[in-house]
Amino acid sequence: MGSSLKEIAERVGTSTASVSIYLNNRDTKRVSSAMKKKIDVAAKELNYRKNIFASSLSKSESKVIGILIPSNIPLFKNGYTNSLLSGIQSSLALKGYSLLFFPSSASSSKENVQEQLQNSAGCDGYILFSTGFCTMEHILWNIRELENTGKPFVTLNIPRVSKEVNQIIIEDLTSLRSLEYLLDAGHEKILLILGRTNGEHMQFILTEYRKILKQRKIPFDNRRIIYGNYSHKDTFLKVSNFLAVHRDISAICAMSDLMASSSLAAVKATGLTVPGDISIIGRNNSLYSELSDPPLSTLEMKIEDAGRSAADLLFEQITNPATCRKIFISGEIIERQSVNEKS
Amino acid sequence: MGSSLKEIAERVGTSTASVSIYLNNRDTKRVSSAMKKKIDVAAKELNYRKNIFASSLSKSESKVIGILIPSNIPLFKNGYTNSLLSGIQSSLALKGYSLLFFPSSASSSKENVQEQLQNSAGCDGYILFSTGFCTMEHILWNIRELENTGKPFVTLNIPRVSKEVNQIIIEDLTSLRSLEYLLDAGHEKILLILGRTNGEHMQFILTEYRKILKQRKIPFDNRRIIYGNYSHKDTFLKVSNFLAVHRDISAICAMSDLMASSSLAAVKATGLTVPGDISIIGRNNSLYSELSDPPLSTLEMKIEDAGRSAADLLFEQITNPATCRKIFISGEIIERQSVNEKS
DNA sequence: TTGTAAGCGTTATCAG
DNA sequence: CTGATAACGCTTACAA
């Protein structure tokens, strides 16, 4: 039952100072070994456990990292975000840090982060996420809020920002490397499957898309873009509808493995074969791509590495504050059996 | 920069008490509206944010729930655990609770929880997970540790325990309902694909397995059990090897959708068809089962519901401590296109 | 080797 | 309406 240092001290007849010091450093010379034993016994009997709030307050160091996610949709549902988190946690846990996830009920991504930050003072640092829903304006606002805390923080999953902030930049977040891979394989008529119509990420990708087409002198055709909402059903339906009308494409480039899988299902359903008639490439190297029949080639984005890097960078800034850094994570194409050379 | 109530109070010429009370209740009558405005200005200028550690210490209430996971392998990697967490978070966030994940470096599940608990006093409650790796002995030990904290807690993902503890019992964790479904469809020679050889869950399932076979007067055949380690490669390999020798089975019952998908791939690779030659059923109703070709029938376990229930029960125990409760979550079979009636 | 006491930032009580 | 002040439980000088 919530015992305190004071209770232990009283029981063994010493000061809280001695108890605290011993419990935090069993090798201390400050406490006699007789007293050490007594403390051990009392601590066990009283079920002593350190109060993290008292300790953090006293030390002005909490070993707690606040995770700020600008959305109030349920956490831990998105495979992509989970990989990021997994990377973060695996690295930070080694260094003895806990992770704190705040509640939020606001509706905009801006207010969400603000709300989470409201009761967060005392954390040793923060990691700021962004999602596909965020606009650049909100992202910058959130960064400003975070700067005002005076605590170290790093941003993750956000397109490159000119501001002087610690950033892990997942290059392929805004690249179309997988599209270029198809292009290099000789495909020209390609169906592009994006996630959502809104959000900053997709804007970057669209810009990139036009740039690539221009470079290769391929006309831009609005009809060859589909928004699959990262949903199996949506993607399946939209690709099916597309194929019912347009059979002239030779490849599909999807911005997630899930949507690639769904496209695969749609292609098969129309009687076409992969990669015989249509080549498909996904993104993420998630299990979906590996389990598909045929296994899908994909753009592995090194998401977990990104999470780990974020943690490492944050740790660096906490222990030894230095000038801001931007770290780039670049992925690679995983070749499996869903892409053919186009002759 | 970490400003405090005191700074605000000094700047506007009042006491910390007034500032605190106003900031926690904007409608208070204690503070004059003139003073309210001044406080607002100062709070904004100084970037005031409440220190969660000081506040929690003072109130003896933190609005923080500790999540105890008896393993130090990276979190957020397992789809099953993530669903549980998602359910928990979605419910607890509504009630204003934060989630705290502690680091741990120990090797045994018992020491892990102990370590996490060590610095955890001050949380308002705990949720104790168990994994397939835990033995019953460790689980019970962990529960005892938790009882010693005197704080409310609920256990999740643990087989039913006779002790008086709050428990969310996921019935299908230890059921073989999907196997019975195949049996009911007329299949008798069934390949059972379990996860791991160790851990308490699988022991329960094995016991259940023998019981069911006995009831139906089907001989137990050790060779018809494969351990897929929840791994695609392992499962694919082992099922392939199995089929190379034994072609007499008519169905496969896998304890995860992933392993079901992998089995499907293996079956197809040998030239057999699903469900023509072999029926397959998975477990979890994850996207894997939906995306497979053909889509796999599966046992939906209502994992997220379990997480939500855990959160709700914990909240109930925090706000209005009562006698312990055990809540049962039962799943249902999702019928898709991978199971045929065996004539 | 040990005890005393100040302080961490909030909240809550109580007297005005 | 308001200001002192004593908690909350722990850490850390500083003294002894």
Side-chain angles (χ1 to χ4, degrees):
Chain A
M1 212 36 136
S3 76
S4 64
L5 283 187
K6 199 169 149 206
E7 288 174 64
I8 296 182
E10 277 166 7
R11 172 177 295 218
V12 305
T14 185
S15 65
T16 59
S18 294
V19 181
S20 171
I21 287 171
Y22 167 57
L23 255 22
N24 283 306
N25 174 16
R26 315 226 140 216
D27 296 329
T28 183
K29 306 234 151 180
R30 189 217 216 262
V31 180
S32 67
S33 54
M35 185 55 83
K36 284 183 179 179
K37 271 177 202 137
K38 287 211 272 179
I39 294 177
D40 279 332
V41 171
K44 185 151 290 173
E45 280 179 11
L46 294 169
N47 286 306
Y48 175 75
R49 263 171 272 268
K50 189 196 287 190
N51 184 309
I52 188 181
F53 299 98
S55 169
S56 299
L57 178 59
S58 172
K59 293 210 292 187
S60 303
E61 186 208 46
S62 60
K63 287 281 183 182
V64 169
I65 301 299
I67 306 292
L68 304 169
I69 304 198
S71 111
N72 60 1
I73 56 168
L75 245 44
F76 313 125
K77 273 207 149 171
N78 177 290
Y80 182 89
T81 308
N82 287 337
S83 296
L84 247 17
L85 287 173
S86 183
I88 291 173
Q89 197 269 346
S90 67
S91 161
L92 245 24
L94 287 179
K95 289 159 180 145
Y97 284 87
S98 296
L99 259 37
L100 187 57
F101 294 83
F102 305 95
S104 165
S105 55
S107 52
S108 88
S109 66
K110 176 173 133 182
E111 286 159 352
N112 255 294
V113 169
Q114 218 177 346
E115 194 184 341
Q116 292 173 44
L117 230 27
Q118 215 52 60
N119 301 285
S120 76
C123 292
D124 290 349
Y126 302 90
I127 294 183
L128 174 68
F129 277 64
S130 129
T131 71
F133 291 113
C134 297
T135 64
M136 212 54 192
E137 186 208 336
H138 282 188
I139 293 175
L140 291 173
W141 168 279
N142 289 337
I143 289 178
R144 218 166 305 121
E145 285 288 296
L146 224 25
E147 287 173 333
N148 286 336
T149 65
K151 287 285 185 180
F153 69 96
V154 352
T155 69
L156 237 188
N157 208 36
I158 287 174
R160 195 202 162 117
V161 138
S162 59
K163 273 184 93 111
E164 268 297 314
V165 286
N166 294 301
Q167 244 195 308
I168 304 299
I169 295 152
I170 300 169
E171 291 187 317
D172 292 311
L173 200 60
T174 52
S175 90
L176 269 170
R177 203 120 71 89
S178 49
L179 180 83
E180 294 184 277
Y181 175 81
L182 291 174
L183 256 10
D184 290 343
H187 297 277
E188 288 213 342
K189 298 185 174 167
I190 302 173
L191 174 62
L192 181 62
I193 304 190
L194 301 179
R196 306 192 184 80
T197 49
N198 54 350
E200 210 60 29
H201 299 180
M202 287 305 156
Q203 291 314 312
F204 273 82
I205 285 189
L206 270 179
T207 310
E208 180 74 7
Y209 183 47
R210 286 174 181 273
K211 204 180 86 191
I212 292 173
L213 289 185
K214 201 167 186 184
Q215 270 171 8
R216 310 226 181 191
K217 306 205 167 61
I218 298 173
F220 176 86
D221 184 346
N222 199 21
R223 288 166 304 179
R224 291 208 185 116
I225 299 180
I226 280 180
Y227 293 89
N229 291 316
Y230 298 111
S231 141
H232 172 54
K233 287 194 177 116
D234 283 16
T235 308
F236 182 87
L237 218 72
K238 289 186 178 175
V239 173
S240 297
N241 289 343
F242 177 89
L243 290 175
V245 185
H246 314 280
R247 291 246 170 172
D248 59 339
I249 57 159
S250 71
I252 296 178
C253 174
M255 295 318 278
S256 82
D257 283 337
L258 169 61
M259 295 193 294
S261 275
S262 310
S263 306
L264 171 64
V267 170
K268 283 178 171 177
T270 68
L272 294 167
T273 64
V274 174
D277 300 311
I278 292 186
S279 293
I280 297 183
I281 191 164
R283 197 172 74 153
N284 268 1
N285 192 23
S286 64
L287 236 21
Y288 300 129
S289 58
E290 200 176 343
L291 289 174
S292 288
D293 178 18
L296 298 173
S297 295
T298 188
L299 172 57
E300 143 102 74
M301 296 172 76
K302 304 278 170 68
I303 300 307
E304 238 186 284
D305 286 356
R308 251 189 305 272
S309 296
D312 293 345
L313 179 53
L314 182 59
F315 179 71
E316 183 185 307
Q317 298 282 334
I318 289 173
T319 50
N320 175 22
T323 55
C324 289
R325 288 175 54 188
K326 295 196 192 287
I327 292 175
F328 295 82
I329 305 288
S330 60
E332 64 186 86
I333 299 280
I334 308 285
E335 298 188 318
R336 287 200 271 250
Q337 291 132 55
S338 64
V339 177
N340 264 1
E341 293 275 333
K342 171 89 177 171
S343 46
Chain B
M1 209 43 132
S3 76
S4 64
L5 284 186
K6 199 167 148 208
E7 288 174 63
I8 296 182
E10 277 167 6
R11 172 175 299 215
V12 305
T14 184
S15 64
T16 59
S18 294
V19 181
S20 172
I21 286 172
Y22 167 57
L23 256 20
N24 282 305
N25 173 15
R26 315 227 137 214
D27 296 328
T28 183
K29 306 234 150 181
R30 187 215 218 262
V31 181
S32 67
S33 57
M35 186 54 85
K36 284 184 179 180
K37 273 179 201 134
K38 287 211 271 179
I39 294 177
D40 278 333
V41 171
K44 186 152 290 175
E45 280 180 10
L46 294 169
N47 286 305
Y48 176 75
R49 262 171 272 267
K50 189 196 285 190
N51 184 309
I52 189 183
F53 299 98
S55 170
S56 300
L57 178 60
S58 176
K59 293 209 294 187
S60 302
E61 185 206 47
S62 61
K63 288 281 184 182
V64 169
I65 302 298
I67 306 292
L68 304 168
I69 304 198
S71 110
N72 59 1
I73 55 168
L75 245 44
F76 313 125
K77 272 208 148 169
N78 178 290
Y80 181 89
T81 307
N82 286 336
S83 296
L84 247 17
L85 288 173
S86 183
I88 292 173
Q89 196 268 345
S90 67
S91 162
L92 246 23
L94 288 179
K95 289 159 179 144
Y97 285 88
S98 297
L99 258 37
L100 187 56
F101 294 83
F102 305 95
S104 166
S105 55
S107 50
S108 88
S109 67
K110 175 173 133 183
E111 287 159 350
N112 255 293
V113 169
Q114 217 177 347
E115 194 184 340
Q116 293 173 44
L117 230 27
Q118 215 52 60
N119 300 284
S120 76
C123 292
D124 290 349
Y126 303 89
I127 295 184
L128 175 66
F129 278 64
S130 129
T131 70
F133 291 114
C134 297
T135 65
M136 211 55 191
E137 187 209 334
H138 282 189
I139 292 174
L140 291 172
W141 168 279
N142 289 336
I143 290 178
R144 217 165 306 122
E145 287 287 298
L146 226 23
E147 287 173 332
N148 285 336
T149 66
K151 289 284 184 181
F153 68 96
V154 353
T155 69
L156 237 188
N157 207 38
I158 286 174
R160 196 203 161 116
V161 138
S162 59
K163 274 186 95 108
E164 270 296 314
V165 285
N166 293 302
Q167 242 194 309
I168 304 299
I169 295 152
I170 301 169
E171 290 186 318
D172 292 311
L173 198 61
T174 52
S175 91
L176 270 169
R177 203 120 71 89
S178 49
L179 181 82
E180 294 184 276
Y181 175 81
L182 292 174
L183 257 9
D184 291 342
H187 297 277
E188 289 213 343
K189 298 186 174 166
I190 302 173
L191 174 61
L192 181 62
I193 304 192
L194 301 179
R196 305 191 185 82
T197 48
N198 53 350
E200 209 60 27
H201 299 180
M202 287 305 155
Q203 292 313 312
F204 274 81
I205 285 189
L206 269 179
T207 310
E208 180 74 8
Y209 182 48
R210 286 174 181 274
K211 204 180 85 191
I212 292 173
L213 289 184
K214 201 168 186 181
Q215 270 172 7
R216 309 226 180 193
K217 306 204 169 62
I218 298 173
F220 175 87
D221 184 346
N222 199 22
R223 288 167 305 179
R224 291 210 185 113
I225 299 179
I226 279 180
Y227 293 88
N229 291 315
Y230 299 110
S231 141
H232 171 53
K233 285 193 178 120
D234 283 16
T235 308
F236 182 87
L237 217 72
K238 288 185 178 175
V239 174
S240 297
N241 290 342
F242 177 89
L243 290 174
V245 185
H246 315 280
R247 291 248 170 171
D248 58 341
I249 59 161
S250 71
I252 296 178
C253 173
M255 296 317 279
S256 82
D257 282 337
L258 169 61
M259 295 193 294
S261 274
S262 310
S263 306
L264 171 63
V267 170
K268 283 177 169 178
T270 67
L272 294 167
T273 65
V274 174
D277 300 311
I278 293 186
S279 292
I280 298 182
I281 191 165
R283 196 172 73 154
N284 269 0
N285 192 22
S286 63
L287 234 20
Y288 300 128
S289 58
E290 199 176 343
L291 288 174
S292 288
D293 177 16
L296 299 172
S297 295
T298 188
L299 173 57
E300 145 101 75
M301 298 172 75
K302 304 278 170 69
I303 299 308
E304 239 185 284
D305 286 356
R308 253 189 304 271
S309 296
D312 293 344
L313 179 53
L314 182 59
F315 179 70
E316 183 186 309
Q317 298 283 336
I318 288 174
T319 51
N320 174 23
T323 55
C324 289
R325 288 175 54 190
K326 296 196 193 286
I327 292 176
F328 295 81
I329 305 288
S330 60
E332 63 186 89
I333 300 278
I334 308 285
E335 299 189 316
R336 286 201 270 251
Q337 292 132 54
S338 63
V339 177
N340 265 1
E341 291 277 332
K342 171 91 178 170
S343 45

